[in-house]
Structures are given as C-alpha cells and as structure tokens.
Amino acid sequence: MKDFLKKLGPGLLFAGAAIGVSHLVQSTRAGADYGYGLLWALLLAHLFKYPFFQYGPRYAMATGESLLDGYKKLGKGVLYIYFILNLATMFTIQTAVTIVTAGLASNLFGISADPILWSIVITIICITILILGKYKLLDNLMKVIITMLTICTLTAIILAVTRTTETIDFTQILPTEATGLAFVIAFMGWMPAPLDISVWHSLWAIEKKKTLKSYKTKRSITDFNIGYLSTIILGVFFLSLGALVMHQTEEQFSSGATQFAFQFINMYTETLGPSTYYIIAIAAFTAMFSTTLTTLDASPRAMTKSTALLFNIKGKHVSISWIIILAIGTICILLFLMSEMKTLIDIATILSFVTAPFYAIINYKLVTSKHMPKKWRPSKGMHFLSWAGIAFLVGFSIWYLTTL
C-alpha cells in the first residue's frame, strides 16, 4: 500500500485543485435544488472533459516537457494567449477559494470570525508549505488531505442515508426555466474544473518525474485516472449530501464566506445530529484548503514556466516571486476590492467558460501533432471522444453566452 501511494502524486494534486467550489458549493446546491436530477450533468461534464485533462500528463511524460512547451511549438501566439488569460484570472480565482476556506476555518476553529484575517493566515500557511516543503511536501500532504476528505464525506453520506425518511428518486431532469438553465450551465462549466488545469497537471507530472524516476507515461495516466475518478466520486458524494439533507428545503446560501460556512455546516448538523459537526466541518475545510493550496502552487508554477519560455527570465527566485505576487494580489483584493468580488468572479467564470474550447482544441492538436511520439498519440476511441468533447464545449459556450 505504501509503495502504491508513493507512485501517486499529480493525479491527487489535480483532484485537490478540482474538488473545491465546484464540489462543495455547486454539487451540494445541485442536490439541494434538484435531488439526484442533475446527476447526468455531473457525469456528462466529466466524460466530455476527460481527454483534454488526460492529455496533460500524457504529453508531459511522453515528451519530457510541459504543455506550455508544446503550446510554444504550436506558435508563440498560443502561449501568449495562455499567459494573458492566466494573468487575468489567477488573482480572482485564488481570492475566491481562499475566502471560502477562511469562512470554513473560522467556523471550524472559532478563534476569530474575521474572514480576511483567516485568509491572511491561510495564505501564509500555504506559502510556508510551498516554499519550505516544495513539491515533495505538497505531494505527500495532498494524499493525506484527499484521504481525510473522502472518509469524512463518505461517513456523512452513510449517516444521511440511514437517517433520511424520504424515498430516493433518481429521475433525471432538465430545468426549463431561465435560472435553472443558467445553473446547469455553470454547474457543468466548473465540473470538475476549468480546462486550463491540464497545464498545471503537466507541470506537476514533470516535477514528479524528478522525485520518482519510474514515473513514466503509462503510470502517469493511471495516476491521473485515479485522481479523476476521485473527482467523480466526491462530486456524487456532495450531490448526494445535498439531495439527502437539503432537498425540498427553502434554505438559500449566503454570499458571505463566514455566513455560508455556518449555513453549510449547520444544515447538515441539524439533520444528522450535533455529533456529526466535526465530520462535516473537516470534510468541507479539507476540500477547500486543498484547492487553496494547489492553486497557490500551480498558477505561479505556470507563470514561472511561461515567463521562461516567452521572456527567457529564469531562476529559482522567479517561482518564489510569482507565489508572493499572487499572495499579495489576493490579499489586496480582499482588503480593497471585496465590494467588487462578485463582478471579478463573474469575469473569471465567463473566461473559464468561453476559453474551454480553446484549451480543448490546442491540447488535442498538440497530442496529435508531430511533436507527440506516435506510440502515445490518442487511440481511435480517444479521437472520437475528443471530437465529441470539442463539439460539446463549443456548443456549451455558445449556449452560455446566449443565455447571459
């Protein structure tokens, strides 16, 4: 078992980055509003996005270079587009996940109710982990976090199933009202994560190779599949919690981080009993802390590589500089732009939606190009799924833009 866990790494980091707002908030809300009726949407989003996420570690291990190196080979303009998009969204995304984590920390630890103070503390803890422990500590820590998250969430579901008096209905539905359709679009767009995380995964895979020489293409794909399966399972888990505990209630989530955390945990403990408080609180906190930690590692890692490829600026100080820049930017948004937070998140969300086809197409183009060894190019089945996925994402983006 120990040897098996040692071989895992980037796949669980992917899961840690993905299992955040999309699972904790969106999946729970889907279950609360529609029961199991949107299970089809969760599974369909995972199916059609699968190949483009998988191409990250596949390309990295088959070629020995990240997707960003590959983007440059497709044309420097492609890499510039990535650089600009990542720069435009990384501060807002980091702020969003940090403030939710802060609210949950405030509720769990109770030392202070100030989400900004908690955000600063959490950011400092994450910086310390990343700068002192680097990739190895991040890798090992994520195994503990994902295991803890899975156990706590599964325990909560078992308790919810044994205590519910409602008949579980698996009838699938497609909302017809405007607000319902908008939610389905947002739910599928962020499930399990924005497609640019494939870039992060390719960078993590390269880093894993440095610490484990036997980590090669086949193993990296297996590792990814385990992480991806984790996002599916935990997505279903959180949807189930919403369906079993909150469905047919009139409770509405608050937009405030601390209030949201209180509501989220309180709704479960009222139904499942006070003794389940720590199970629910730890599951929620670990879900969001994993996202906060991995995004603080990944965005600067991607910007460091992009900076080296585009501007030939290299050195160990560059990576630390980007981490500090992202941390300072996050705190500044929290201190001075909290009133504009919803607008900033909306912009980041829209960019994630409409750029999904861009990442899908260039990832597919890269792994089918001359830059990819023939042995590791996609199979016929993956070709078909990629075409279907691109059609789905293009249609999805058009649908989203026309329903704004």
Coordinates of all heavy atoms in Angstrom, one line a residue, residues 292-383:
T292 N -7.1 25.7 -2.2 CA -6.4 26.9 -2.0 C -4.9 26.6 -2.1 O -4.1 27.4 -2.7 CB -6.7 27.5 -0.6 OG1 -8.1 27.7 -0.5 CG2 -6.0 28.8 -0.3
L293 N -4.4 25.5 -1.5 CA -3.0 25.2 -1.6 C -2.5 24.9 -3.0 O -1.5 25.4 -3.4 CB -2.8 24.0 -0.6 CG -1.3 23.4 -0.6 CD1 -0.4 24.5 0.0 CD2 -1.3 22.2 0.3
T294 N -3.3 24.0 -3.7 CA -2.8 23.6 -5.0 C -2.9 24.8 -6.0 O -2.0 24.9 -6.9 CB -3.7 22.4 -5.6 OG1 -5.1 22.7 -5.4 CG2 -3.3 21.2 -4.8
T295 N -3.9 25.6 -5.9 CA -3.9 26.8 -6.8 C -2.8 27.8 -6.6 O -2.3 28.4 -7.5 CB -5.3 27.5 -6.8 OG1 -5.6 27.8 -5.4 CG2 -6.4 26.7 -7.3
L296 N -2.4 27.9 -5.3 CA -1.3 28.8 -5.0 C 0.0 28.3 -5.5 O 1.0 29.0 -5.7 CB -1.2 29.1 -3.5 CG -0.3 30.1 -3.0 CD1 -0.6 31.5 -3.6 CD2 -0.2 30.2 -1.5
D297 N 0.1 27.0 -5.6 CA 1.3 26.3 -6.2 C 1.2 26.4 -7.7 O 2.2 26.7 -8.4 CB 1.4 24.9 -5.7 CG 2.5 24.1 -6.5 OD1 3.7 24.2 -6.1 OD2 2.2 23.4 -7.5
A298 N 0.1 26.1 -8.3 CA 0.0 25.8 -9.7 C 0.1 27.1 -10.6 O 0.8 27.1 -11.6 CB -1.3 25.0 -10.0
S299 N -0.7 28.1 -10.2 CA -0.7 29.3 -11.0 C 0.7 30.0 -11.1 O 1.2 30.3 -12.2 CB -1.7 30.3 -10.5 OG -3.0 29.9 -10.7
P300 N 1.4 30.1 -10.0 CA 2.8 30.6 -10.0 C 3.7 29.7 -10.8 O 4.6 30.2 -11.5 CB 3.2 30.8 -8.6 CG 1.9 30.9 -7.8 CD 1.0 30.1 -8.6
R301 N 3.5 28.4 -10.7 CA 4.4 27.4 -11.4 C 4.2 27.6 -12.9 O 5.1 27.6 -13.7 CB 4.0 26.0 -11.0 CG 4.9 24.9 -11.4 CD 4.5 23.6 -11.0 NE 4.5 23.4 -9.5 CZ 5.6 23.0 -8.9 NH1 6.7 22.7 -9.6 NH2 5.6 22.8 -7.6
A302 N 2.9 27.8 -13.3 CA 2.6 28.0 -14.7 C 3.2 29.3 -15.2 O 3.7 29.4 -16.3 CB 1.1 27.9 -15.0
M303 N 3.1 30.4 -14.4 CA 3.6 31.7 -14.8 C 5.1 31.7 -14.9 O 5.7 32.4 -15.7 CB 3.1 32.8 -13.8 CG 1.6 33.0 -13.9 SD 0.9 33.4 -15.5 CE 1.5 35.1 -15.7
T304 N 5.7 30.9 -14.0 CA 7.2 30.8 -14.0 C 7.7 30.2 -15.3 O 8.6 30.7 -15.9 CB 7.7 30.0 -12.8 OG1 7.3 30.6 -11.6 CG2 9.2 29.8 -12.8
K305 N 7.0 29.1 -15.7 CA 7.4 28.4 -16.9 C 7.1 29.3 -18.1 O 7.9 29.4 -19.1 CB 6.6 27.1 -17.0 CG 7.0 26.3 -18.2 CD 8.4 25.8 -18.1 CE 8.7 24.8 -19.3 NZ 10.1 24.4 -19.2
S306 N 5.9 30.0 -18.1 CA 5.6 30.9 -19.2 C 6.6 32.0 -19.4 O 7.0 32.4 -20.5 CB 4.2 31.4 -19.0 OG 3.2 30.4 -19.0
T307 N 7.0 32.6 -18.2 CA 7.9 33.7 -18.2 C 9.3 33.3 -18.8 O 9.9 34.0 -19.6 CB 8.2 34.2 -16.8 OG1 6.9 34.6 -16.2 CG2 9.1 35.4 -16.8
A308 N 9.7 32.0 -18.5 CA 10.9 31.5 -19.0 C 10.9 31.3 -20.5 O 11.8 31.6 -21.3 CB 11.3 30.2 -18.3
L309 N 9.7 30.8 -21.0 CA 9.6 30.5 -22.4 C 9.4 31.7 -23.3 O 9.9 31.8 -24.4 CB 8.4 29.5 -22.6 CG 8.6 28.1 -22.1 CD1 7.2 27.3 -22.2 CD2 9.6 27.3 -22.9
L310 N 8.7 32.7 -22.7 CA 8.4 33.9 -23.5 C 9.4 35.0 -23.4 O 9.7 35.6 -24.4 CB 7.0 34.5 -23.1 CG 5.8 33.7 -23.4 CD1 4.6 34.3 -22.7 CD2 5.6 33.6 -24.9
F311 N 10.0 35.1 -22.2 CA 10.9 36.3 -22.0 C 12.3 35.8 -21.5 O 13.1 36.7 -21.2 CB 10.3 37.2 -20.9 CG 8.8 37.5 -21.2 CD1 7.8 37.1 -20.3 CD2 8.5 38.3 -22.3 CE1 6.5 37.4 -20.5 CE2 7.1 38.6 -22.5 CZ 6.2 38.2 -21.7
N312 N 12.5 34.5 -21.5 CA 13.8 34.0 -21.1 C 14.3 34.5 -19.7 O 15.5 34.6 -19.5 CB 14.9 34.3 -22.2 CG 16.1 33.4 -22.1 OD1 16.0 32.3 -21.7 ND2 17.3 33.9 -22.4
I313 N 13.3 34.6 -18.8 CA 13.6 35.0 -17.4 C 13.5 33.7 -16.6 O 12.5 33.1 -16.5 CB 12.6 36.1 -16.9 CG1 12.6 37.3 -17.8 CG2 12.9 36.4 -15.5 CD1 11.6 38.4 -17.4
K314 N 14.7 33.4 -16.1 CA 14.8 32.1 -15.3 C 15.4 32.3 -14.0 O 15.9 33.4 -13.6 CB 15.6 31.1 -16.1 CG 15.0 30.8 -17.5 CD 15.9 29.8 -18.3 CE 15.3 29.6 -19.7 NZ 16.2 28.7 -20.5
G315 N 15.4 31.2 -13.2 CA 16.0 31.3 -11.8 C 15.0 30.8 -10.8 O 13.8 31.0 -10.9
K316 N 15.5 30.3 -9.7 CA 14.7 29.8 -8.6 C 13.9 31.0 -8.0 O 12.8 30.8 -7.5 CB 15.5 29.2 -7.5 CG 16.2 27.9 -7.9 CD 17.0 27.3 -6.8 CE 17.6 25.9 -7.2 NZ 18.4 25.3 -6.1
H317 N 14.4 32.2 -8.0 CA 13.7 33.3 -7.4 C 12.4 33.7 -8.2 O 11.5 34.3 -7.6 CB 14.6 34.6 -7.4 CG 14.9 35.1 -8.8 ND1 15.8 34.5 -9.7 CD2 14.4 36.1 -9.5 CE1 15.9 35.1 -10.8 NE2 15.1 36.1 -10.8
V318 N 12.3 33.3 -9.5 CA 11.2 33.6 -10.3 C 9.9 32.9 -9.7 O 8.8 33.5 -9.6 CB 11.4 33.2 -11.7 CG1 10.1 33.6 -12.5 CG2 12.6 34.0 -12.3
S319 N 10.1 31.6 -9.4 CA 8.9 30.9 -8.8 C 8.4 31.5 -7.5 O 7.2 31.7 -7.3 CB 9.3 29.4 -8.6 OG 8.3 28.7 -8.0
I320 N 9.4 31.8 -6.6 CA 9.0 32.4 -5.3 C 8.4 33.7 -5.5 O 7.4 34.1 -4.9 CB 10.3 32.5 -4.4 CG1 10.8 31.1 -4.1 CG2 9.9 33.3 -3.1 CD1 12.1 31.1 -3.3
S321 N 8.9 34.5 -6.5 CA 8.4 35.8 -6.8 C 6.9 35.8 -7.2 O 6.1 36.5 -6.8 CB 9.2 36.5 -7.9 OG 10.5 36.7 -7.4
W322 N 6.6 34.8 -8.1 CA 5.2 34.6 -8.5 C 4.3 34.2 -7.4 O 3.1 34.6 -7.3 CB 5.1 33.7 -9.7 CG 5.4 34.3 -11.0 CD1 6.5 34.0 -11.9 CD2 4.6 35.3 -11.7 NE1 6.4 34.8 -13.0 CE2 5.2 35.6 -12.9 CE3 3.4 35.9 -11.4 CZ2 4.7 36.5 -13.8 CZ3 2.9 36.8 -12.3 CH2 3.5 37.1 -13.5
I323 N 4.8 33.4 -6.5 CA 3.9 33.0 -5.3 C 3.6 34.2 -4.5 O 2.5 34.4 -4.1 CB 4.7 31.9 -4.5 CG1 4.7 30.6 -5.3 CG2 3.9 31.6 -3.2 CD1 5.5 29.5 -4.6
I324 N 4.7 35.0 -4.2 CA 4.5 36.2 -3.4 C 3.6 37.2 -4.1 O 2.7 37.8 -3.5 CB 5.8 36.9 -3.1 CG1 6.8 35.9 -2.3 CG2 5.7 38.2 -2.4 CD1 6.2 35.5 -1.0
I325 N 3.7 37.4 -5.4 CA 2.9 38.3 -6.2 C 1.4 37.8 -6.1 O 0.5 38.7 -5.9 CB 3.3 38.3 -7.7 CG1 4.7 39.1 -7.8 CG2 2.3 39.0 -8.5 CD1 5.3 39.0 -9.1
L326 N 1.2 36.5 -6.3 CA -0.2 36.0 -6.2 C -0.8 36.2 -4.8 O -1.9 36.6 -4.7 CB -0.2 34.5 -6.6 CG -1.6 33.9 -6.6 CD1 -2.6 34.6 -7.4 CD2 -1.5 32.4 -7.1
A327 N 0.0 35.9 -3.8 CA -0.4 36.1 -2.4 C -0.8 37.5 -2.1 O -1.8 37.8 -1.5 CB 0.6 35.6 -1.5
I328 N 0.1 38.4 -2.5 CA -0.1 39.9 -2.2 C -1.4 40.4 -3.0 O -2.2 41.1 -2.5 CB 1.1 40.7 -2.6 CG1 2.3 40.4 -1.6 CG2 0.8 42.2 -2.6 CD1 3.6 41.1 -2.0
G329 N -1.5 39.9 -4.3 CA -2.6 40.3 -5.1 C -3.9 39.8 -4.5 O -4.9 40.6 -4.4
T330 N -3.9 38.6 -3.9 CA -5.1 38.0 -3.3 C -5.5 38.9 -2.1 O -6.7 39.2 -1.9 CB -4.8 36.6 -2.9 OG1 -4.5 35.8 -4.0 CG2 -6.0 36.0 -2.1
I331 N -4.5 39.2 -1.2 CA -4.8 39.9 0.0 C -5.3 41.3 -0.4 O -6.2 41.9 0.3 CB -3.6 40.0 0.9 CG1 -3.1 38.6 1.3 CG2 -3.9 40.9 2.1 CD1 -4.2 37.8 2.0
C332 N -4.7 41.9 -1.4 CA -5.1 43.3 -1.8 C -6.6 43.3 -2.3 O -7.4 44.2 -2.0 CB -4.2 43.8 -2.9 SG -2.6 44.3 -2.4
I333 N -7.0 42.3 -3.0 CA -8.4 42.2 -3.5 C -9.3 42.0 -2.3 O -10.4 42.7 -2.2 CB -8.6 41.0 -4.4 CG1 -7.9 41.2 -5.8 CG2 -10.1 40.7 -4.7 CD1 -7.9 40.1 -6.7
L334 N -8.9 41.2 -1.3 CA -9.7 41.0 -0.1 C -9.8 42.3 0.7 O -10.9 42.6 1.2 CB -9.1 40.0 0.8 CG -9.2 38.5 0.3 CD1 -8.3 37.6 1.1 CD2 -10.6 38.1 0.3
L335 N -8.8 43.1 0.7 CA -8.8 44.3 1.5 C -9.5 45.5 0.9 O -10.2 46.3 1.5 CB -7.3 44.7 1.9 CG -6.6 43.8 2.9 CD1 -5.1 44.3 3.0 CD2 -7.3 43.9 4.3
F336 N -9.3 45.6 -0.5 CA -9.7 46.8 -1.2 C -10.8 46.6 -2.2 O -11.5 47.6 -2.6 CB -8.5 47.5 -1.8 CG -7.4 47.8 -0.9 CD1 -6.2 47.1 -1.0 CD2 -7.6 48.7 0.1 CE1 -5.1 47.4 -0.1 CE2 -6.5 49.0 1.0 CZ -5.3 48.3 0.9
L337 N -11.0 45.4 -2.6 CA -12.0 45.2 -3.7 C -13.1 44.1 -3.4 O -13.7 43.6 -4.3 CB -11.3 44.7 -5.0 CG -10.3 45.7 -5.6 CD1 -9.5 45.1 -6.8 CD2 -11.1 47.0 -6.1
M338 N -13.3 43.9 -2.1 CA -14.3 42.9 -1.7 C -15.7 43.3 -2.2 O -16.5 42.4 -2.6 CB -14.4 42.8 -0.2 CG -13.3 41.9 0.4 SD -13.6 40.2 -0.1 CE -15.1 39.7 0.8
S339 N -16.0 44.6 -2.3 CA -17.3 45.0 -2.9 C -17.5 44.7 -4.3 O -18.6 44.6 -4.8 CB -17.5 46.5 -2.7 OG -16.5 47.3 -3.4
E340 N -16.3 44.5 -5.0 CA -16.4 44.2 -6.5 C -16.1 42.7 -6.7 O -15.9 42.2 -7.8 CB -15.3 45.0 -7.2 CG -15.4 46.5 -7.1 CD -16.8 47.0 -7.6 OE1 -17.3 46.4 -8.6 OE2 -17.3 47.9 -7.0
M341 N -16.1 41.9 -5.6 CA -15.7 40.5 -5.7 C -16.7 39.7 -6.7 O -16.2 38.9 -7.5 CB -15.8 39.8 -4.3 CG -15.1 38.5 -4.2 SD -13.3 38.6 -4.6 CE -13.0 36.9 -5.0
K342 N -17.9 39.9 -6.6 CA -18.9 39.2 -7.4 C -18.6 39.5 -8.9 O -18.6 38.6 -9.7 CB -20.3 39.6 -7.1 CG -21.4 38.8 -7.9 CD -22.8 39.2 -7.5 CE -23.8 38.3 -8.2 NZ -23.7 38.3 -9.7
T343 N -18.3 40.7 -9.2 CA -18.0 41.1 -10.6 C -16.8 40.4 -11.1 O -16.7 39.9 -12.2 CB -17.9 42.6 -10.7 OG1 -19.1 43.3 -10.3 CG2 -17.6 43.0 -12.2
L344 N -15.7 40.5 -10.2 CA -14.5 39.8 -10.6 C -14.6 38.3 -10.8 O -14.1 37.8 -11.8 CB -13.4 40.1 -9.5 CG -13.0 41.5 -9.3 CD1 -12.1 41.7 -8.1 CD2 -12.2 42.0 -10.6
I345 N -15.4 37.7 -9.9 CA -15.6 36.2 -10.1 C -16.4 35.9 -11.3 O -16.1 35.0 -12.1 CB -16.3 35.7 -8.8 CG1 -15.4 35.7 -7.6 CG2 -16.8 34.2 -9.1 CD1 -16.0 35.3 -6.3
D346 N -17.4 36.8 -11.6 CA -18.2 36.6 -12.9 C -17.3 36.7 -14.1 O -17.4 35.9 -15.0 CB -19.3 37.7 -12.9 CG -20.4 37.4 -12.0 OD1 -20.5 36.3 -11.5 OD2 -21.2 38.4 -11.7
I347 N -16.4 37.6 -14.1 CA -15.4 37.8 -15.2 C -14.6 36.5 -15.4 O -14.4 36.0 -16.5 CB -14.6 39.0 -15.0 CG1 -15.4 40.3 -15.2 CG2 -13.4 39.0 -16.1 CD1 -14.7 41.6 -14.8
A348 N -14.0 36.1 -14.2 CA -13.2 34.9 -14.2 C -14.0 33.6 -14.7 O -13.5 32.8 -15.4 CB -12.6 34.6 -12.8
T349 N -15.2 33.5 -14.2 CA -16.1 32.4 -14.6 C -16.4 32.4 -16.1 O -16.3 31.4 -16.8 CB -17.4 32.5 -13.8 OG1 -17.2 32.5 -12.4 CG2 -18.3 31.3 -14.2
I350 N -16.7 33.6 -16.6 CA -17.0 33.7 -18.1 C -15.8 33.3 -18.9 O -15.9 32.6 -19.9 CB -17.5 35.1 -18.4 CG1 -18.9 35.4 -17.8 CG2 -17.6 35.3 -19.9 CD1 -19.3 36.8 -17.8
L351 N -14.6 33.8 -18.5 CA -13.4 33.5 -19.2 C -13.1 32.0 -19.2 O -12.7 31.4 -20.2 CB -12.2 34.2 -18.6 CG -12.1 35.7 -19.0 CD1 -11.0 36.4 -18.2 CD2 -11.8 35.9 -20.4
S352 N -13.4 31.4 -18.0 CA -13.2 29.9 -17.9 C -14.2 29.2 -18.9 O -13.8 28.2 -19.5 CB -13.4 29.4 -16.5 OG -12.5 30.0 -15.6
F353 N -15.4 29.6 -18.9 CA -16.4 29.0 -19.8 C -16.0 29.1 -21.3 O -15.9 28.1 -22.0 CB -17.8 29.7 -19.6 CG -18.4 29.3 -18.3 CD1 -19.4 30.1 -17.8 CD2 -18.1 28.1 -17.7 CE1 -20.0 29.8 -16.6 CE2 -18.7 27.8 -16.5 CZ -19.7 28.6 -15.9
V354 N -15.8 30.4 -21.7 CA -15.6 30.6 -23.1 C -14.2 30.2 -23.7 O -14.0 30.0 -24.9 CB -15.8 32.1 -23.5 CG1 -17.3 32.5 -23.1 CG2 -14.8 33.0 -22.8
T355 N -13.3 30.0 -22.8 CA -11.9 29.5 -23.2 C -11.8 28.0 -23.2 O -10.8 27.5 -23.6 CB -10.8 30.2 -22.3 OG1 -11.0 29.8 -21.0 CG2 -10.8 31.7 -22.5
A356 N -12.8 27.3 -22.6 CA -12.7 25.9 -22.6 C -12.5 25.2 -24.0 O -11.6 24.4 -24.1 CB -14.0 25.3 -21.9
P357 N -13.2 25.7 -25.0 CA -12.9 25.1 -26.3 C -11.5 25.4 -26.8 O -10.9 24.6 -27.5 CB -13.9 25.8 -27.2 CG -15.0 26.2 -26.3 CD -14.3 26.6 -25.0
F358 N -10.9 26.6 -26.4 CA -9.6 26.9 -26.8 C -8.6 25.9 -26.3 O -7.7 25.3 -27.0 CB -9.2 28.3 -26.3 CG -7.7 28.6 -26.3 CD1 -7.1 28.9 -27.5 CD2 -7.0 28.6 -25.1 CE1 -5.7 29.2 -27.5 CE2 -5.6 28.9 -25.1 CZ -5.0 29.2 -26.3
Y359 N -8.7 25.6 -25.0 CA -7.8 24.6 -24.3 C -8.0 23.2 -24.9 O -7.1 22.4 -25.1 CB -8.0 24.6 -22.8 CG -7.4 25.8 -22.2 CD1 -8.2 26.8 -21.6 CD2 -6.0 26.0 -22.1 CE1 -7.7 27.9 -21.0 CE2 -5.5 27.2 -21.5 CZ -6.3 28.1 -21.0 OH -5.8 29.2 -20.4
A360 N -9.3 22.8 -25.1 CA -9.6 21.5 -25.7 C -9.0 21.3 -27.1 O -8.3 20.3 -27.3 CB -11.1 21.3 -25.8
I361 N -9.1 22.3 -27.9 CA -8.6 22.2 -29.3 C -7.1 22.2 -29.3 O -6.5 21.4 -30.0 CB -9.2 23.4 -30.1 CG1 -10.7 23.2 -30.4 CG2 -8.4 23.5 -31.5 CD1 -11.4 24.5 -30.9
I362 N -6.4 23.1 -28.6 CA -5.0 23.1 -28.6 C -4.3 21.9 -28.0 O -3.3 21.4 -28.4 CB -4.4 24.4 -28.1 CG1 -4.7 24.6 -26.6 CG2 -4.8 25.6 -28.9 CD1 -4.0 25.8 -26.0
N363 N -5.0 21.4 -26.9 CA -4.5 20.1 -26.3 C -4.6 19.0 -27.2 O -3.7 18.2 -27.4 CB -5.2 19.8 -25.0 CG -4.8 20.7 -23.8 OD1 -4.0 21.6 -24.0 ND2 -5.3 20.5 -22.6
Y364 N -5.7 18.9 -27.9 CA -6.0 17.8 -28.9 C -5.0 18.0 -30.1 O -4.4 17.0 -30.5 CB -7.4 17.8 -29.4 CG -7.7 16.8 -30.4 CD1 -7.7 15.4 -30.2 CD2 -8.0 17.2 -31.7 CE1 -7.9 14.5 -31.1 CE2 -8.3 16.3 -32.7 CZ -8.2 14.9 -32.4 OH -8.5 14.0 -33.4
K365 N -4.9 19.2 -30.6 CA -4.0 19.4 -31.7 C -2.5 19.0 -31.3 O -1.8 18.5 -32.2 CB -4.0 20.9 -32.1 CG -3.2 21.2 -33.3 CD -3.4 22.7 -33.7 CE -2.5 23.0 -35.0 NZ -2.7 24.4 -35.4
L366 N -2.1 19.3 -30.1 CA -0.7 19.1 -29.7 C -0.5 17.6 -29.6 O 0.6 17.1 -30.1 CB -0.5 19.7 -28.3 CG 0.9 19.7 -27.8 CD1 1.9 20.3 -28.8 CD2 1.0 20.4 -26.4
V367 N -1.4 16.8 -29.0 CA -1.1 15.4 -28.8 C -1.3 14.6 -30.1 O -1.0 13.4 -30.2 CB -2.0 14.7 -27.7 CG1 -1.7 15.3 -26.4 CG2 -3.5 14.8 -28.0
T368 N -1.8 15.2 -31.1 CA -2.0 14.5 -32.4 C -1.0 15.1 -33.5 O -1.0 14.7 -34.6 CB -3.4 14.7 -33.0 OG1 -3.7 16.1 -33.1 CG2 -4.4 14.0 -32.1
S369 N -0.1 16.0 -33.0 CA 0.9 16.6 -33.9 C 2.2 15.8 -34.0 O 2.4 14.8 -33.3 CB 1.2 18.0 -33.4 OG 1.9 18.0 -32.2
K370 N 3.1 16.3 -34.8 CA 4.4 15.7 -35.0 C 5.3 15.8 -33.7 O 6.3 15.1 -33.6 CB 5.1 16.4 -36.1 CG 5.4 17.9 -35.9 CD 6.1 18.5 -37.1 CE 6.4 20.0 -36.8 NZ 7.1 20.6 -38.0
H371 N 4.9 16.7 -32.8 CA 5.6 16.9 -31.6 C 5.4 15.8 -30.5 O 6.1 15.7 -29.5 CB 5.3 18.2 -30.9 CG 5.4 19.4 -31.9 ND1 6.6 19.7 -32.4 CD2 4.5 20.3 -32.3 CE1 6.4 20.8 -33.2 NE2 5.1 21.1 -33.2
M372 N 4.3 14.9 -30.8 CA 4.0 13.8 -29.9 C 4.5 12.5 -30.5 O 4.2 12.2 -31.6 CB 2.4 13.8 -29.7 CG 1.9 12.8 -28.7 SD 2.3 13.3 -27.0 CE 1.2 12.1 -26.1
P373 N 5.2 11.7 -29.7 CA 5.6 10.4 -30.2 C 4.4 9.6 -30.6 O 3.4 9.5 -29.9 CB 6.3 9.8 -28.9 CG 6.8 10.9 -28.2 CD 5.7 12.0 -28.3
K374 N 4.5 8.9 -31.7 CA 3.4 8.1 -32.3 C 2.8 7.1 -31.3 O 1.6 6.9 -31.3 CB 3.8 7.4 -33.6 CG 4.0 8.4 -34.8 CD 4.4 7.6 -36.0 CE 4.5 8.6 -37.2 NZ 4.9 7.9 -38.5
K375 N 3.7 6.5 -30.5 CA 3.3 5.5 -29.6 C 2.3 6.0 -28.6 O 1.4 5.2 -28.2 CB 4.5 4.9 -28.8 CG 4.2 3.9 -27.8 CD 5.4 3.5 -27.0 CE 5.1 2.4 -25.9 NZ 6.3 2.0 -25.2
W376 N 2.3 7.3 -28.3 CA 1.5 7.8 -27.2 C 0.4 8.7 -27.7 O -0.3 9.4 -26.9 CB 2.3 8.5 -26.1 CG 3.2 7.5 -25.4 CD1 4.6 7.5 -25.5 CD2 2.8 6.5 -24.5 NE1 5.0 6.4 -24.7 CE2 4.0 5.8 -24.1 CE3 1.6 6.0 -24.1 CZ2 3.9 4.8 -23.2 CZ3 1.5 5.0 -23.2 CH2 2.7 4.3 -22.8
R377 N 0.2 8.8 -29.0 CA -0.9 9.6 -29.6 C -2.2 8.9 -29.2 O -2.3 7.7 -29.0 CB -0.7 9.7 -31.1 CG 0.4 10.6 -31.5 CD 0.6 10.7 -33.0 NE 1.9 11.4 -33.3 CZ 2.4 11.6 -34.5 NH1 1.7 11.1 -35.6 NH2 3.5 12.2 -34.7
P378 N -3.3 9.6 -29.2 CA -4.6 9.1 -28.8 C -5.1 7.9 -29.6 O -4.8 7.8 -30.8 CB -5.6 10.3 -28.9 CG -4.7 11.5 -28.9 CD -3.4 11.1 -29.5
S379 N -5.8 7.0 -29.0 CA -6.4 5.9 -29.7 C -7.6 6.4 -30.5 O -8.0 7.5 -30.4 CB -6.8 4.8 -28.7 OG -7.8 5.3 -27.9
K380 N -8.2 5.5 -31.3 CA -9.4 5.8 -32.1 C -10.5 6.3 -31.2 O -11.3 7.2 -31.5 CB -9.8 4.7 -33.0 CG -8.9 4.4 -34.2 CD -9.4 3.3 -35.0 CE -8.5 3.1 -36.2 NZ -8.9 1.9 -37.1
G381 N -10.6 5.5 -30.1 CA -11.7 5.9 -29.1 C -11.5 7.2 -28.5 O -12.5 8.0 -28.3
M382 N -10.2 7.6 -28.2 CA -9.9 8.9 -27.6 C -10.1 10.0 -28.7 O -10.5 11.1 -28.3 CB -8.5 8.9 -27.1 CG -8.4 8.2 -25.7 SD -9.2 9.0 -24.4 CE -8.1 10.3 -24.0
H383 N -9.8 9.7 -29.9 CA -10.1 10.6 -31.0 C -11.6 11.0 -31.1 O -12.0 12.1 -31.1 CB -9.6 10.1 -32.4 CG -8.2 10.3 -32.7 ND1 -7.7 11.5 -33.0 CD2 -7.2 9.4 -32.8 CE1 -6.4 11.4 -33.2 NE2 -6.1 10.1 -33.1

